[in-house]
Amino acid sequence: MQKNKLTTEASSNYDDLDKMSTESLLKNINKEDQSVPLAVEKVIPQINTIVDINVAKMEKGGRVFYIGAGTSGRLGVLDASEIPPTFGVSGDWFIGLIAGGDTALRNAVENAEDDTAQAWKDLQKFKISEKDVLIGIAASGTTPYVIGGIETARKNGITTGCITCNSRSPLAKAAEYPIECIVGPEFVTGSTRMKSGTAQKLILNMISTATMIKMGRVKGNKMVDMQLSNKKLVNRGVKMICEELDIPEDEAQELLLKHGSVRAVLMNYKV
């Protein structure tokens, strides 16, 4: 039986990269990158399905977990870590796990992604259950850590999805709701931190942002529940309040500091 050819490992569309000028390198990388949003557009129906599942689960108290290794794992952790400050929710709405633990966020951890049992052990620390959703992220779709986690979760009745950049991969077969975003060969052959990583980041942005909007964490087009963790965000909140209530900045700032969030100000403001 012939194995599926991995698009992510296919030879680059360019040769002699080491002989290119800096300008040629940059223009060609940019040219390749422009194909990524078009690839993502093709899988919007699959992304739609994942978002609707997330919302249905979260409305009943469920959470969304991401698991991945290397670049994929880092992107999952990044996306999950930005949910609380952006939308003013607790840190357990979205949880990102990477093979090798937090050390792997900055350093390669030898053989971490090759353990098929470790992801499930990592997930057990968070008491993952049938109320939750697990999304595996792996450009190749062949990472043992991710596949093992998805397979075991599915056996335990947990809803599973995945994001991969190869078609008919083992990971896509293991997950109930696969997203297969085929971006083609990387500029540097096999370097999936490039187009594949960009595609994964775009898809994660779409999944988490759309989920949070559907969960009521945005009003109009404003982040009304964002955490006021620095001066920039306080100033942004003041501007939102000024625009919504048509009041001076000093009054808006006083109200924001009193109530603690833009949403609370809008709900409690009395003319």
Side-chain angles (χ1 to χ4, degrees):
M1 185 175 182
Q2 189 175 5
K3 294 176 70 174
N4 289 331
K5 185 176 180 180
L6 299 181
T7 306
T8 53
E9 297 297 324
S11 183
S12 172
N13 293 322
Y14 304 81
D15 203 355
D16 298 323
L17 305 186
D18 51 334
K19 297 177 183 177
M20 285 185 187
S21 68
T22 302
E23 183 177 17
S24 293
L25 286 170
L26 299 178
K27 284 185 175 181
N28 288 326
I29 291 172
N30 180 249
K31 182 179 178 181
E32 288 297 296
D33 285 345
Q34 290 178 41
S35 68
V36 176
L38 299 177
V40 172
E41 183 180 23
K42 293 178 181 178
V43 295
I44 285 178
Q46 289 74 43
I47 300 171
N48 190 143
T49 298
I50 291 287
V51 170
D52 285 346
I53 289 170
N54 286 350
V55 173
K57 291 283 188 176
M58 282 188 155
E59 286 178 340
K60 297 178 180 179
R63 301 161 293 174
V64 175
F65 287 83
Y66 298 138
I67 53 171
T71 297
S72 299
R74 294 181 188 105
L75 289 169
V77 172
L78 171 64
D79 191 73
S81 69
E82 291 179 340
I83 301 306
T86 304
F87 300 105
V89 299
S90 65
D92 64 352
W93 283 41
F94 279 77
I95 298 171
L97 303 176
I98 182 171
D102 286 354
T103 299
L105 292 173
R106 291 183 178 273
N107 304 283
V109 177
E110 189 173 357
N111 300 322
E113 70 173 56
D114 297 328
D115 189 336
T116 58
Q118 188 59 49
W120 183 246
K121 293 176 184 176
D122 293 343
L123 290 163
Q124 289 303 288
K125 297 172 186 175
F126 296 88
K127 295 182 169 57
I128 191 170
S129 73
E130 294 179 14
K131 294 193 303 181
D132 303 316
V133 179
L134 176 62
I135 300 173
I137 313 168
S140 66
T142 61
T143 307
Y145 175 86
V146 181
I147 295 170
I150 290 291
E151 288 179 339
T152 307
R154 191 168 179 180
K155 288 176 184 176
N156 282 272
I158 296 164
T159 301
T160 58
C162 74
I163 304 169
T164 180
C165 296
N166 281 318
S167 60
R168 300 186 299 278
S169 69
L171 177 58
K173 292 176 183 177
E176 291 172 87
Y177 301 100
I179 298 171
E180 298 173 285
C181 185
I182 313 305
V183 296
E186 297 289 357
F187 182 72
V188 176
T189 300
S191 182
T192 52
R193 56 180 281 275
M194 301 187 77
K195 289 197 299 183
S196 297
T198 300
Q200 291 172 330
K201 173 60 175 165
L202 291 175
I203 292 169
L204 289 168
N205 283 349
M206 295 167 79
I207 289 173
S208 58
T209 303
T211 298
M212 288 294 92
I213 292 171
K214 299 294 285 185
M215 288 296 293
R217 307 308 296 189
V218 169
K219 178 176 173 57
N221 59 12
K222 304 292 196 305
M223 298 182 290
V224 293
D225 294 310
M226 65 181 178
Q227 295 176 359
L228 306 174
S229 55
N230 57 50
K231 181 181 270 189
K232 179 191 76 174
L233 295 179
V234 171
N235 290 339
R236 182 183 294 165
V238 168
K239 184 179 178 182
M240 288 183 196
I241 294 167
C242 289
E243 290 176 353
E244 289 288 327
L245 301 179
D246 193 24
I247 59 177
E249 282 191 13
D250 56 348
E251 183 181 353
Q253 182 163 348
E254 183 180 342
L255 288 169
L256 182 59
L257 296 178
K258 175 184 176 182
H259 292 287
S261 75
V262 175
R263 183 186 295 276
V265 170
L266 299 182
M267 289 178 62
N268 291 284
Y269 184 74
K270 295 178 182 178
V271 181

